[in-house]
Each structure stands twice: as C-alpha cells, then as structure tokens.
Amino acid sequence: NLPIFYLSLIYFLFSYTLFFISNSWNIFTDHGLEGHKKAIEVFFLAITFYNFGYYAFYSIIKKNKNSLKLFEIDKDFELLLLGILTVLGVIIFYYVIDLSKFINGIQQIKYPLLYFSYGVLVLYIFNNKEKISLYLKVLLFILILIPIYFDIIAGAFFTPFISLFITLTFYIFLRKKITALNILSMTVLLMIFILIIPIKRDYRNATWKVTKINFIDKTLIYKSELFKNLNKFDFADDFNKRTIRRIFHSYESLIIVSSKTPNEVDFWRGESYKILASKIIPRIFWKNKPSDELGNAFGKRYGIISEVNHSTSWNMPVLNEFYVNYGLKGVMIGMFLMGLLFRFLSTYFSIQSNNNIEKIVSYYLIIPLFFLESHLSLLFGAVFQSYIFLLIFFILYKKVFKYLKII
C-alpha cells in the first residue's frame, strides 16, 4: 500500500513531539505550562482518533484499484521518452520562458508535470537498472536536479526538499525494501534541509529585492550565505533557535490556538472549509477565481500577523484547523475521518503493476498529502484536477506519438 499514513506519523513525530526528545523546551519560553498541557492533551487525543480511523476499517478497506488498460506502458522506451520530454518541457516553459507570465493559471500544472516526469524517469531506471549504463543514469539524475536547482536559487526551500524526498521514497516503494543506503540518503537529505533553512531570510533579502540578477549571481550568493551560516552555526544562537522553532511550527501553533480558542478567539465553525468548493475549477478556466489567503487570515485572527500585512502566511496544520473550527469535537471527528481517508487512499490507489502510468500519478499526487502542515483546502485543493489532468496528458501523449510512429 501507499505509505502515506506512516509518513504522516513521521511528520507528527518531527513537528509535534521531537522537541520532547531533543530537549528544546527553552525555545518555547513565551508559552506557559498550561498552554503546553492543553496542546499536548489535544495532540494525543488527535493522534489516538487518527490511528483509530486508519485501523478501524482495516478488514473492510483492502481492495486495490484496478487501473485501466488505457494507462498501460507498452515498452520501457516509452517511459524514457515521456520522462525526458516532460522534464525538458517543464524546464523550458517554466524556468526559461516562464509561461505563467503570459497565461493565467498555467502555473497550477507545473509541479504535477514535474513530479510526473520524476516518477516516469525513476520507474524507467528501476525497470532497467541492470541494463542501462551509468552514464544514462547520471544524465537522468541531472535532468531531475535541474528544476530543483532552479527552485533553490529562486528562493524556494521546502519544494526542492519534498521533490527529492518523494522521489527517493518512490524508488524505495518500488523496491519494497529499505536498505542502509536508503536510510543514509534520507538522513543526509534531512540534515541538508535543516542546514539550509537558516539562510532563507538573508538569501531572499539579497535576491528578491534586486531587479536584474542572473542565476550565476544567485548561485554565488547562495553559496556565500550557506558557508557563512555553516561557519557560525550554533544551536544556542537566537537565529538558529528560530530555525528549530520553525521545524516545530505545528506544535507551537497548536499551543496558540488551543490557548486562545474560544476564550479570546471564537471558533470559526467551518469558515476555513468554504473555499474548498472553488478548488474544483482550475484557475486557467476561471480568471477571477478566489485566491486561497487563509494562511494570512489565520495569522491575523490569532495576532501573529498585523492587520496591514496582506502578504505573509501563517501555516495552519490540518489538526490545528480542526480545533480552530470546532474545538475538541472537531479534532476527534476530523482526525478519525483523516485516518479513514488515508486508509482508503493508501489501499485503493496502490496500483500493483509497474507498467501502468497510474502507479506514478497516484504516488506523486497522494504521498505529498502526508505533510499535514497546511490547511485542508490548500493541501487537497488541486489533487483531483491534477490526477485527471495527468491521466489525460498521458493518453494524448500516446495518441500523438503513435500517430507520428515514434512509439
């Protein structure tokens, strides 16, 4: 089955409970003991109902989806061709030309296409690991790294990390076996992520406020900021305390919302879920589609963001959002339903055949849902449309290339 539930438990460990083990209590000195006590009670209630929702229907929800023959891959060469052309297309049209400046809403399909190309290339490597040369493996790996490099120098930090993380876990998923090298790779990736978080603010200040700056200059600035941070890295330093605090954002925001709601801030009674209805229609077909600005709204409601600030976002994790809307009742029912939903997704969308494109689509669109740090509408908003789009994209690809007699 898709490992979405188990990955989500890792998210809960790192974001809500790891500070217990890492002795990081001094980071939360501005929150009293009562605030911690309330947040911990809410969290353990949530995790209990989440596990109950996932395991309660274990014997009922166990049927895998039978993918259509329409999505079958006839030859491994199709994977290679599709993966290379798709990733090159994304590089050209999003990183070189940047179509989003000319076509409204086109940005929405950038990452589904990018993740799709990664999955296709990884599946090709896996299916032919004994046949293909080292040079081809290196070339394909470079193709995967190019968009990640461009995202990094554009100032993105979480997106490049999650791209590599999902790609690595997909390869492990295909092997159905975790090796010591896999664990080492995950650990190195996590350490790199922790080390680069502190430079985010300084790097963005140095590059975002400059109108004309090329990617070489951005690379040199990034290198300079990174080495500057490594030379002075100290967990006791206030700057790096903010970094560690960012890692535990989910827990700290739970302290804040459980302490202030409903005594200072009323329950929102489902207000944050209303925008979900508008998510069904892609922005490319709805020019004036409402923007999801709930991150900003959450921050203002709890006094984290000033009323005049309209650009900063304060992430509201799914668990915390349940409490914000309906209190403990919302946490119990909401987390139970999340567990039930993840049981369904992990089972039903676990495609068995390695020669079916839906295996890639389901993994790369469903697995990112494990990171429950965003509010519900942002997390789930575009999954259904992206799923349908990628399957249609694959069908069109096959028809065009068969017509041209390329495959």
Side-chain angles (χ1 to χ4, degrees):
N1 291 352
L2 297 178
I4 181 174
F5 175 75
Y6 302 104
L7 289 173
S8 71
L9 293 181
I10 294 174
Y11 155 74
F12 284 124
L13 170 67
F14 275 93
S15 300
Y16 284 91
T17 62
L18 191 63
F19 74 93
F20 290 123
I21 304 168
S22 62
N23 193 28
S24 301
W25 287 94
N26 61 321
I27 295 171
F28 303 111
T29 52
D30 47 348
H31 301 296
L33 185 60
E34 284 303 311
H36 282 285
K37 183 180 177 182
K38 176 70 173 177
I40 292 169
E41 287 174 356
V42 173
F43 173 73
F44 279 105
L45 187 67
I47 210 71
T48 300
F49 275 84
Y50 182 56
N51 277 272
F52 182 52
Y54 184 80
Y55 288 109
F57 298 93
Y58 183 83
S59 59
I60 299 173
I61 305 175
K62 56 183 180 181
K63 181 177 173 57
N64 299 122
K65 184 179 185 297
N66 293 319
S67 188
L68 297 174
K69 196 169 183 179
L70 184 65
F71 306 128
E72 290 289 331
I73 301 154
D74 300 322
K75 301 174 184 176
D76 283 330
F77 174 69
E78 288 183 41
L79 287 172
L80 181 62
L81 188 64
L82 178 59
I84 290 176
L85 289 177
T86 305
V87 73
L88 285 176
V90 172
I91 291 170
I92 293 168
F93 293 115
Y94 285 98
Y95 294 100
V96 179
I97 298 175
D98 193 3
L99 274 183
S100 60
K101 292 179 180 178
F102 311 101
I103 303 175
N104 181 53
I106 199 74
Q107 186 73 11
Q108 195 171 357
I109 63 173
K110 172 187 172 181
Y111 285 106
L113 282 172
L114 194 57
Y115 290 165
F116 177 76
S117 69
Y118 290 168
V120 170
L121 293 176
V122 169
L123 184 57
Y124 173 79
I125 293 171
F126 178 79
N127 287 349
N128 299 274
K129 53 182 177 291
E130 304 299 333
K131 303 175 188 176
I132 60 177
S133 68
L134 177 62
Y135 299 108
L136 182 55
K137 288 179 183 177
V138 171
L139 174 63
L140 297 180
F141 187 63
I142 290 172
L143 278 176
I144 290 173
L145 288 180
I146 289 173
I148 291 172
Y149 160 74
F150 278 115
D151 280 337
I152 288 174
I153 64 168
F157 283 79
F158 177 73
T159 303
F161 168 77
I162 202 67
S163 298
L164 285 171
F165 178 80
I166 296 171
T167 300
L168 181 56
T169 59
F170 183 53
Y171 190 80
I172 296 171
F173 178 68
L174 291 172
R175 290 193 64 185
K176 296 181 172 61
K177 180 182 177 182
I178 300 177
T179 65
L181 181 61
N182 297 147
I183 296 172
L184 177 62
S185 300
M186 288 287 191
T187 305
V188 170
L189 185 60
L190 180 62
M191 290 306 299
I192 291 172
F193 180 64
I194 292 172
L195 289 173
I196 67 173
I197 288 177
I199 73 169
K200 180 171 72 172
R201 184 183 300 178
D202 288 341
Y203 176 75
R204 287 178 175 177
N205 287 338
T207 56
W208 285 10
K209 296 178 181 179
V210 180
T211 53
K212 291 183 179 181
I213 182 170
N214 59 47
F215 71 92
I216 296 175
D217 290 334
K218 286 183 177 180
T219 303
L220 293 174
I221 293 172
Y222 197 96
K223 176 186 173 184
S224 172
E225 293 295 339
L226 182 60
F227 278 96
K228 188 194 304 181
N229 178 66
L230 289 174
N231 288 333
K232 68 174 184 179
F233 196 86
D234 178 6
F235 279 106
D237 183 72
D238 287 339
F239 186 71
N240 289 304
K241 278 184 180 179
R242 289 200 301 271
T243 300
I244 300 170
R245 195 166 185 159
R246 175 62 189 88
I247 295 171
F248 300 135
H249 165 80
S250 297
Y251 173 71
E252 185 176 22
S253 72
L254 182 59
I255 295 177
I256 294 169
V257 301
S258 60
S259 298
K260 292 189 174 184
T261 308
N263 297 329
E264 300 175 38
V265 181
D266 290 334
F267 290 123
W268 221 1
R269 297 179 177 85
E271 189 68 28
S272 67
Y273 303 127
K274 290 181 179 179
I275 197 172
L276 268 168
S278 70
K279 295 283 186 173
I280 299 172
I281 305 172
R283 188 170 295 277
I284 195 170
F285 301 123
W286 186 358
K287 187 176 180 179
N288 298 315
K289 180 179 177 179
S291 296
D292 191 338
E293 298 176 347
L294 284 170
N296 185 262
F298 282 127
K300 288 177 178 177
R301 288 191 89 231
Y302 287 92
I304 307 298
I305 299 171
S306 68
E307 290 298 325
V308 296
N309 186 333
H310 302 294
S311 59
T312 304
S313 181
W314 190 58
N315 285 358
M316 180 60 66
V318 169
L319 186 166
N320 306 9
E321 187 184 6
F322 287 141
Y323 188 88
V324 164
N325 280 285
Y326 299 110
L328 288 177
K329 186 193 298 182
V331 169
M332 290 186 289
I333 296 173
M335 291 304 289
F336 174 83
L337 292 176
M338 281 298 298
L340 184 60
L341 175 62
F342 276 15
R343 159 61 67 184
F344 170 73
L345 292 175
S346 66
T347 304
Y348 186 71
F349 287 95
S350 182
I351 311 299
Q352 298 304 307
S353 173
N354 276 2
N355 294 315
N356 195 296
I357 208 69
E358 199 171 358
K359 188 184 190 85
I360 296 167
V361 174
S362 62
Y363 193 92
Y364 272 83
L365 292 184
I366 291 174
I367 289 300
L369 300 177
F370 86 89
F371 194 72
L372 296 163
E373 199 192 65
S374 299
H375 53 276
L376 207 64
S377 63
L378 191 62
L379 192 67
F380 286 89
V383 173
F384 176 74
Q385 304 95 302
S386 298
Y387 203 101
I388 299 300
F389 165 75
L390 289 177
L391 293 181
I392 293 173
F393 174 77
F394 176 72
I395 293 169
L396 292 176
Y397 146 79
K398 288 204 76 167
K399 287 188 177 295
V400 169
F401 280 83
K402 280 186 176 180
Y403 176 79
L404 296 173
K405 295 182 180 180
I406 297 175
I407 58 173

